[in-house]
Amino acid sequence: MYLSRFLSIHALWVTVSSVMQPYPLVWGHYDVCKTQIYTEEGKVWDYMACQPESTDMTKYLKVKLDPPDITCGDPPETFCAMGNPYMCNNECDASTPELAHPPELMFDFEGRHPSTFWQSATWKEYPKPLQVNITLSWSKTIELTDNIVITFESGRPDQMILEKSLDYGRTWQPYQYYATDCLDAFHMDPKSVKDLSQHTVLEIICTEEYSTGYTTNSKIIHFEIKDRFAFFAGPRLRNMASLYGQLDTTKKLRDFFTVTDLRIRLLRPAVGEIFVDELHLARYFYAISDIKVRGRCKCNLHATVCVYDNSKLTCECEHNTTGPDCGKCKKNYQGRPWSPGSYLPIPKGTANTCIPSISSIGNPPKFNRIWPNISSLEVSNPKQVAPKLALSTVSSVQVANHKRANVCDNELLHCQNGGTCHNNVRCLCPAAYTGILCEKLRCEEAGSCGPGSGQGAPPGGCPALLLLPLLPALLGTAGAPGL
């Protein structure tokens, strides 16, 4: 009786926990680059798209402050208590560990009490602006997978800009503006991410949601990555095929979540009033106890491991690729142009493996089985494969030289949409379809698809195809300067 009651309670808890969990802990698999499968010819490699796990990226960054002497404590100075702005007997002294607040305390473990934090000098040089740039650099391209979270110990700034760079700090683009009054500070109407949509997901907004004075429960500023993912994957990020389809086909969207550097521009400290109290300037400063940046190394879906060696992050590339981001083919594996892997079709994706150069091939027996095969496109419904993916998986070398590589067969390399394989060389397609694997509607090539054409779109279930109508709006977004 007790056992059955325990199991019932446990089942209820599991159900409640799953409902309360706002997002799945792991929102992508792709944790294997290749696996061995058995065929009539023995064991062969089956290649898949793959990527490193999402992790805490603050462990690998370098931080830089501008101006470099903006940290308090050199020389020592007093400042007002953050809970009581008129109790001004706290001391910051860089030469005393217990009283020092260096930049690395923005990223340390926050399990101690009292909490540790970086702190700027106070605003004693009024009316000179108290402005600080905090630059976080990885010397590596990374993909953001979770919200950026900044926890302040001082009041949250009245004005702040979060910026990103994709070229190691040479150029910068705004990610989001923060202000107590967006119109006054940045000449922008205030918005929140909830005001955006799939069509405006790349818009750069100014929000007033996080710019209030110091209170016990108002320390945090967010840049909402997951809320933007949710426009495509649903509020609980369950429909990842939809998000992956957009990331695969829309470079601007993919680049939006990709950075090499982040910069926090603190432009005005929390004042709480319209006018600054010039008699109590030690009330005004910035203090940050924690910054969270979660993401993964960008390896172009060609690696599952990113190593940190000699203060540098590098992908351990698979699929015959090489480079810090697996961004090119290895020597002697340039039989077709390099291409990133593809998330689709779910769940294995498409590896787009680099293949041997023609000059290095020779004529080894059964060589066709070590070419990047199309079996990774195989899903329960062959019609789910997007045309772009099918075309990018079959190289021109394979098509031109069928003695070395099969284009199709009836076991692993299926023709789509009812096509049949002819002599392992080409697919014989039904009248309505065309393409190497019968993956494309014939009317699409002629530009005549429509309600009256007699050729409807492929059935539901193809995320990339279903989302294509959204691409013009995304590509033409006007509110995303620099993207």
Side-chain angles (χ1 to χ4, degrees):
M1 180 179 69
Y2 292 107
L3 178 59
S4 61
R5 184 175 299 174
F6 171 79
L7 292 176
S8 299
I9 294 173
H10 180 264
L12 177 62
W13 170 248
V14 170
T15 302
V16 171
S17 299
S18 65
V19 172
M20 294 177 65
Q21 176 69 30
Y23 301 105
L25 294 178
V26 179
W27 59 271
H29 301 289
Y30 305 100
D31 53 355
V32 178
C33 292
K34 62 183 179 181
T35 185
Q36 285 191 322
I37 60 174
Y38 290 88
T39 70
E40 292 179 353
E41 299 176 3
K43 285 194 287 188
V44 296
W45 287 114
D46 184 32
Y47 296 93
M48 294 158 283
C50 53
Q51 63 187 2
E53 290 185 3
S54 177
T55 188
D56 176 10
M57 297 304 298
T58 60
K59 295 181 289 187
Y60 311 110
L61 62 77
K62 294 179 181 178
V63 60
K64 175 186 174 184
L65 299 184
D66 183 29
D69 59 350
I70 194 63
T71 299
C72 70
D74 187 17
E77 64 175 312
T78 57
F79 61 93
C80 302
M82 287 171 279
N84 184 347
Y86 296 100
M87 178 184 272
C88 301
N89 57 358
N90 294 275
E91 187 176 2
C92 181
D93 186 349
S95 63
T96 305
E98 293 80 10
L99 301 177
H101 298 283
E104 54 265 28
L105 296 185
M106 288 186 274
F107 313 105
D108 66 329
F109 177 65
E110 282 295 314
R112 290 177 286 162
H113 295 283
S115 61
T116 56
F117 51 90
W118 164 80
Q119 184 172 312
S120 74
T122 61
W123 201 356
K124 289 183 178 178
E125 296 185 29
Y126 184 85
K128 181 180 178 180
L130 181 60
Q131 297 183 350
V132 184
N133 286 345
I134 303 172
T135 303
L136 315 179
S137 300
W138 283 272
S139 299
K140 170 77 179 75
T141 311
I142 67 169
E143 297 170 331
L144 302 173
T145 60
D146 206 337
N147 294 353
I148 298 170
V149 183
I150 306 169
T151 304
F152 284 83
E153 286 299 308
S154 63
R156 295 182 292 189
D158 281 357
Q159 296 176 16
M160 182 188 117
I161 308 174
L162 179 65
E163 296 178 325
K164 60 168 284 189
S165 175
L166 258 174
D167 55 11
Y168 306 97
R170 288 188 287 273
T171 60
W172 295 90
Q173 303 89 40
Y175 240 164
Q176 193 150 291
Y177 295 87
Y178 301 82
T180 52
D181 187 333
C182 285
L183 199 58
D184 177 66
F186 301 115
H187 308 291
M188 299 172 69
D189 291 325
K191 285 187 177 182
S192 73
V193 175
K194 298 178 181 64
D195 299 319
L196 302 178
S197 67
Q198 288 185 356
H199 301 282
T200 59
V201 68
L202 302 183
E203 182 180 346
I204 308 303
I205 65 171
C206 178
T207 178
E208 298 175 356
E209 186 175 353
Y210 302 108
S211 301
T212 60
Y214 178 86
T215 63
T216 303
N217 298 317
S218 300
K219 293 184 174 185
I220 295 175
I221 283 180
H222 282 262
F223 178 68
E224 305 91 341
I225 296 287
K226 282 191 170 179
D227 285 345
R228 286 172 168 82
F229 288 161
F231 288 123
F232 305 102
R236 296 182 183 275
L237 300 187
R238 302 298 186 192
N239 184 13
M240 292 309 298
S242 174
L243 175 62
Y244 288 147
Q246 290 287 5
L247 292 173
D248 258 356
T249 55
T250 313
K251 185 178 185 298
K252 283 190 176 182
L253 183 66
R254 188 168 62 249
D255 287 349
F256 186 80
F257 301 111
T258 304
V259 304
T260 58
D261 306 78
L262 290 169
R263 184 163 67 185
I264 303 164
R265 296 183 58 196
L266 305 172
L267 302 180
R268 180 181 170 92
V271 174
E273 308 97 8
I274 298 176
F275 301 104
V276 174
D277 183 355
E278 298 182 44
L279 300 178
H280 297 88
L281 295 179
R283 295 171 53 188
Y284 310 124
F285 54 89
Y286 306 104
I288 296 177
S289 63
D290 191 42
I291 297 177
K292 285 186 170 61
V293 181
R294 194 165 183 86
R296 62 169 56 91
C297 291
K298 179 180 179 179
C299 301
N300 284 296
L301 294 176
H302 290 311
T304 59
V305 176
C306 192
V307 296
Y308 188 62
D309 188 30
N310 294 325
S311 301
K312 188 176 182 180
L313 285 166
T314 307
C315 300
E316 286 195 349
C317 301
E318 302 270 1
H319 303 157
N320 301 320
T321 61
T322 187
D325 300 345
C326 307
K328 60 182 180 180
C329 291
K330 291 167 64 175
K331 184 179 180 181
N332 297 328
Y333 285 89
Q334 298 169 351
R336 64 176 173 188
W338 174 90
S339 179
S342 169
Y343 283 114
L344 298 177
I346 302 293
K348 291 165 51 174
T350 309
N352 290 329
T353 309
C354 290
I355 63 176
S357 305
I358 296 177
S359 60
S360 64
I361 289 176
N363 289 290
K366 301 181 181 177
F367 187 81
N368 59 305
R369 283 301 181 186
I370 65 171
W371 288 67
N373 57 56
I374 313 172
S375 62
S376 59
L377 288 177
E378 186 178 18
V379 289
S380 57
N381 180 0
K383 295 181 181 180
Q384 289 181 343
V385 181
K388 179 179 179 182
L389 301 178
L391 286 172
S392 66
T393 310
V394 184
S395 73
S396 58
V397 177
Q398 285 175 289
V399 176
N401 193 345
H402 60 270
K403 293 181 181 179
R404 289 179 180 157
N406 294 338
V407 172
C408 62
D409 62 37
N410 293 319
E411 293 178 6
L412 295 176
L413 313 182
H414 290 288
C415 300
Q416 300 173 37
N417 297 308
T420 56
C421 186
H422 178 67
N423 293 336
N424 300 117
V425 176
R426 64 191 180 93
C427 292
L428 300 178
C429 303
Y433 293 91
T434 185
I436 294 173
L437 298 180
C438 307
E439 77 287 337
K440 186 185 300 183
L441 281 169
R442 194 174 296 275
C443 64
E444 285 181 347
E445 277 199 344
S448 59
C449 287
S453 68
Q455 298 181 24
C462 171
L465 291 177
L466 291 174
L467 292 168
L468 288 177
L470 297 175
L471 300 185
L474 277 169
L475 294 171
T477 302
L483 286 176

